[in-house]
Amino acid sequence: MKKALPIGVDNFEKLITGGYYYVDKTIFIKELLDLKGEVNLFTRPRRFGKTLNLSMLRYFFEDTGNTEKNEQNKELFRGMKIMDEGETYTRQMGKYPVINLTLKSAKQEDFETAYYMIQAELASEFERHREIIEHGKQSLAVKEYEQYISIADEKADQKLVRGSIKLFSQCMRKITGNNTVVLIDEYDVPLENAYFRGFYDEMVDFIRSLFESALKTNDYLQFAVITGCLRISKESIFTGLNHLRIVSVLDQRYSEHFGFTEPEVLQMMEYYDVKSRFSTMKEWYDGYMFGGTEVYNSWSVINYMYDLYADIDAFPRPYWINTSSNDIIKDMIARADRETKGQIETLLKGETLDIQVHEEVTYGDMHSKGENLWNFLYFTGYLTKESEYFKRKYIFLKVRVPNIEVMTIYENTIMNWMKDIIQKEDFHDLYRAMEEGNAQRMTDILNGQLIRAISFFDSAENFYHGFLTGILSQSENYLVKSNRESGNGRCDIMVKSPSLRGRSFILEVKVSDDIDDLENDAGKALEQIYERKYMEELRAEGYKKIDCYGVSFFRKDCEVRFGTGTDLSSTGMKC
């Protein structure tokens, strides 16, 4: 039996004792100890192994206060790479108190609920160490003990909660004689959520004070590791933390510890006997560059591996799209001006944008200028670095969409945005023009809509087909069917009245290679309707009034040609 794939398993102990496949990232521990950073912030896109790595650190460093449990934790690392690095590192095992917090539960509808979830998370960690506190309370002042218990019991006021991590470290130092390792996962989740929910300032104030007491004025801190997707402005969150070491996707150090490297992916695919599908794996889930290391999306790799192991011919899917609301992309598209839309279209064609790097930003800065927006997308994994260069004392990047999976996120989000926009529009003029055979008026209306839209031309026919179908579907008086089998082939769009005495229409779509081909291609689309007898299904149903339209598109321009149900003036053909 092969080992199970750890889909959604981010607890290190469960992963190892449960017999799951594990990509050994324990050299992360060595690098962390070698570089001796006191407060380390790692920013990586979501689902690239941040939570599992923090869990690994906890089980490596934590002194649980129980000798037997400490030995069990050490056993988790048997055969791991870190165990071959020598006593310098292994003697750090089971040595320190560890507080391990995740702030992902603070994604709530208002500040009060988000604060409560953070308070509950802190209480859970305090409760996890209660036995140590009870056995060593004689080492504590009465007030320290009472404050600790009030936090563990969720009875502390907000002022005490703000200083809770420092209190934890202080109590543990007095009892164990060792400083505390602080691990904070997804620190920016409450901030991102608060920005979109409208209580950003309140949340920033609370997180700032929590971090200041834990990381700035904490004499009982051994070291801290913080993870998130974004590097929120140093001035707004990490005020005065001169010892803060920020490791982003631009840094060469630690570059191979988050996500999977290509050798790791190949080794996994060989283990599960699915190496023949490597090219598909690479096209869909590779493409990230962390420092100088090529990285795959680990979440998507594991999920696709799971599907491949059941069926070697399984199709790839955008697994990453469902792990977040993709609010940043939605907000970007909703706010996009004409310049931004043009830049998005450049990316959708597989080309690159040049951006100046701004690592210290806030959510409020996101739309203050275009470069901030592209930086957000880069650091959260929606764009990746193709190359970098130095110009006028600043670092610039050439960025692109990483892979097919992320491209589908853009395309799906854009299509949903277009549907929302179309549903708010009144297209009575378009239908009136179609009923009157006014091809020029139809052309003008569709051109106006195209200027507002964001187009992706690498899948142009699908885009234009969806664009036109979405607009035509807004009528309450007609039924719209697309890609119906009819006559000798498949027409693109069929529009018909519920009543057989009403009107019906056939529309065929062409995509031109050049602006000068628009008129000719619209004529060809119209000819195709007649040559392949697309109208036969409507006639068989009993419709008498059938009109035909050839529609051609090139980027932001279109051309419409009209043919009646009895005569096609441009070709002399009969409907």
Side-chain angles (χ1 to χ4, degrees):
M1 290 288 293
K2 301 287 187 182
K3 291 184 177 181
L5 283 155
I7 296 176
V9 181
D10 52 20
N11 178 279
F12 183 76
E13 180 183 41
K14 180 179 179 180
L15 190 147
I16 301 302
T17 60
Y20 291 95
Y21 188 97
Y22 176 60
V23 176
D24 190 342
K25 296 291 184 179
T26 57
I27 294 301
F28 178 38
I29 298 167
K30 178 182 185 299
E31 194 163 356
L32 196 63
L33 291 171
D34 286 347
L35 295 176
K36 301 183 185 302
E38 187 173 356
V39 180
N40 309 271
L41 170 62
F42 292 90
T43 60
R44 292 293 188 276
R46 66 180 190 271
R47 297 293 184 174
F48 272 73
K50 300 187 295 295
T51 301
L52 179 58
N53 274 348
L54 286 196
S55 180
M56 175 188 69
L57 296 180
R58 172 195 153 187
Y59 284 102
F60 186 88
F61 287 107
E62 184 167 55
D63 177 4
T64 66
N66 183 303
T67 302
E68 182 180 352
K69 179 60 178 172
N70 285 349
E71 289 302 314
Q72 290 173 356
N73 286 350
K74 290 180 181 179
E75 190 65 22
L76 297 175
F77 292 87
R78 178 185 292 274
M80 301 285 180
K81 294 177 182 178
I82 189 63
M83 304 305 287
D84 296 329
E85 295 299 323
E87 188 183 352
T88 300
Y89 307 100
T90 57
R91 70 186 178 200
Q92 299 292 318
M93 299 178 77
K95 185 175 180 180
Y96 305 101
V98 175
I99 184 167
N100 185 21
L101 301 171
T102 177
L103 303 188
K104 63 182 178 182
S105 61
K107 190 171 185 177
Q108 303 295 332
E109 66 274 8
D110 54 51
F111 175 75
E112 289 72 22
T113 310
Y115 166 76
Y116 171 76
M117 298 305 293
I118 296 174
Q119 180 189 29
E121 176 69 17
L122 284 161
S124 177
E125 277 297 281
F126 273 59
E127 180 63 31
R128 191 168 69 84
H129 294 81
R130 188 189 284 259
E131 187 174 344
I132 296 175
I133 291 295
E134 295 295 349
H135 286 165
K137 66 180 180 181
Q138 67 277 3
S139 302
L140 305 178
V142 173
K143 184 177 181 180
E144 290 172 331
Y145 174 76
E146 290 176 346
Q147 288 178 336
Y148 187 102
I149 297 303
S150 70
I151 294 172
D153 292 340
E154 298 185 32
K155 296 179 179 178
D157 60 22
Q158 189 177 132
K159 182 177 180 181
L160 183 55
V161 171
R162 288 172 183 247
S164 57
I165 299 177
K166 182 177 181 180
L167 173 68
F168 178 95
S169 306
Q170 182 176 318
C171 292
M172 290 296 161
R173 171 65 180 274
K174 287 188 173 183
I175 293 172
T176 70
N178 289 316
N179 287 342
T180 292
V181 172
V182 175
L183 307 176
I184 302 175
D185 192 27
E186 302 200 63
Y187 89 97
D188 56 339
V189 166
L191 299 169
E192 178 187 0
N193 175 70
Y195 174 76
F196 287 107
R197 296 280 190 171
F199 54 94
Y200 184 67
D201 291 341
E202 286 179 282
M203 185 55 72
V204 165
D205 181 64
F206 172 69
I207 296 293
R208 182 196 298 120
S209 62
L210 182 70
F211 281 14
E212 281 183 355
S213 65
L215 308 174
K216 179 183 177 183
T217 61
N218 188 355
D219 294 332
Y220 314 103
L221 175 69
Q222 181 67 22
F223 66 84
V225 177
I226 308 164
T227 68
C229 292
L230 291 170
R231 173 178 173 174
I232 306 303
S233 175
K234 192 174 181 179
E235 286 69 34
S236 69
I237 299 298
F238 301 108
T239 305
L241 286 182
N242 297 323
H243 58 328
L244 175 66
R245 179 174 293 167
I246 302 176
V247 185
S248 76
V249 295
L250 287 170
D251 290 89
Q252 298 293 328
R253 292 189 176 97
Y254 301 99
S255 58
E256 73 275 20
H257 302 315
F258 298 88
F260 293 157
T261 64
E262 189 160 290
E264 289 168 341
V265 172
L266 284 167
Q267 184 177 5
M268 189 187 304
M269 296 190 79
E270 188 169 356
Y271 175 81
Y272 289 101
D273 300 317
V274 296
K275 199 173 178 180
S276 61
R277 300 302 307 277
F278 174 70
S279 61
T280 302
M281 180 76 78
K282 187 175 181 66
E283 287 176 342
W284 273 76
Y285 310 118
D286 186 21
Y288 299 91
M289 187 65 66
F290 294 170
T293 303
E294 178 185 357
V295 176
Y296 287 66
N297 183 324
S298 48
W299 171 258
S300 298
V301 166
I302 290 172
N303 276 273
Y304 188 41
M305 199 79 68
Y306 181 86
D307 288 346
L308 285 176
Y309 189 49
D311 176 10
I312 190 66
D313 297 317
F315 295 119
R317 291 186 288 162
Y319 305 100
W320 198 56
I321 194 172
N322 295 320
T323 63
S324 174
S325 61
N326 300 304
D327 283 335
I328 291 176
I329 296 291
K330 294 176 184 176
D331 199 50
M332 170 194 72
I333 292 168
R335 293 171 178 254
D337 56 19
R338 184 170 295 183
E339 180 183 4
T340 303
K341 289 177 182 177
Q343 291 169 319
I344 295 171
E345 289 171 354
T346 296
L347 292 169
L348 294 175
K349 288 187 286 184
E351 298 175 5
T352 62
L353 286 182
D354 287 57
I355 65 170
Q356 182 182 335
V357 176
H358 296 289
E359 290 193 78
E360 292 185 5
V361 291
T362 67
Y363 284 96
D365 294 332
M366 184 161 50
H367 299 288
S368 62
K369 57 182 179 179
E371 284 181 348
N372 285 341
L373 172 63
W374 302 121
N375 274 269
F376 265 76
L377 295 175
Y378 169 64
F379 286 109
T380 53
Y382 292 98
L383 297 173
T384 193
K385 176 184 72 175
E386 183 164 290
S387 61
E388 59 184 295
Y389 58 94
F390 197 70
K391 181 180 179 182
R392 297 194 302 272
K393 300 184 291 185
Y394 299 104
I395 298 174
F396 286 80
L397 303 177
K398 286 187 178 295
V399 296
R400 57 175 172 78
V401 178
N403 49 46
I404 295 175
E405 178 180 44
V406 179
M407 187 69 79
T408 65
I409 295 176
Y410 283 95
E411 293 180 354
N412 289 338
T413 306
I414 290 167
M415 291 302 292
N416 289 333
W417 166 77
M418 285 178 55
K419 289 176 183 176
D420 291 341
I421 294 296
I422 287 170
Q423 287 174 0
K424 298 173 184 177
E425 294 272 339
D426 183 348
F427 289 103
H428 283 96
D429 285 351
L430 178 65
Y431 265 99
R432 189 176 301 112
M434 193 163 70
E435 291 165 347
E436 294 172 354
N438 190 340
Q440 184 57 54
R441 179 60 179 151
M442 289 179 66
T443 299
D444 294 341
I445 293 171
L446 292 175
N447 279 331
Q449 290 296 318
L450 282 170
I451 290 173
R452 298 177 58 191
I454 299 172
S455 308
F456 33 96
F457 303 112
D458 59 335
S459 54
E461 190 157 346
N462 286 336
F463 167 76
Y464 291 120
H465 185 276
F467 167 78
L468 189 53
T469 302
I471 288 176
L472 294 173
S473 296
Q474 298 311 300
S475 174
E476 298 177 355
N477 300 320
Y478 289 98
L479 303 173
V480 178
K481 303 291 182 182
S482 62
N483 287 334
R484 289 289 304 276
E485 291 292 346
S486 178
N488 295 327
R490 174 175 287 218
C491 70
D492 282 324
I493 302 172
M494 184 181 293
V495 181
K496 58 186 180 180
S497 167
S499 170
L500 294 176
R501 295 178 178 178
R503 305 290 295 276
S504 60
F505 308 91
I506 297 288
L507 294 94
E508 184 67 19
V509 176
K510 295 287 185 186
V511 178
S512 299
D513 295 325
D514 189 271
I515 186 70
D516 294 331
D517 296 332
L518 273 175
E519 291 186 15
N520 187 45
D521 287 341
K524 288 180 179 179
L526 194 54
E527 290 175 13
Q528 183 173 319
I529 294 173
Y530 291 87
E531 289 173 354
R532 300 189 181 180
K533 304 184 186 304
Y534 287 155
M535 72 294 299
E536 290 304 315
E537 180 179 341
L538 290 173
R539 282 185 173 155
E541 289 182 30
Y543 285 95
K544 305 298 184 184
K545 301 176 181 178
I546 306 172
D547 288 333
C548 310
Y549 286 95
V551 187
S552 60
F553 293 93
F554 179 77
R555 298 187 182 274
K556 298 293 187 182
D557 290 282
C558 84
E559 184 73 25
V560 180
R561 296 293 295 274
F562 167 69
T564 68
T566 56
D567 178 61
L568 182 60
S569 58
S570 62
T571 64
M573 299 181 70
K574 298 290 184 180
C575 190

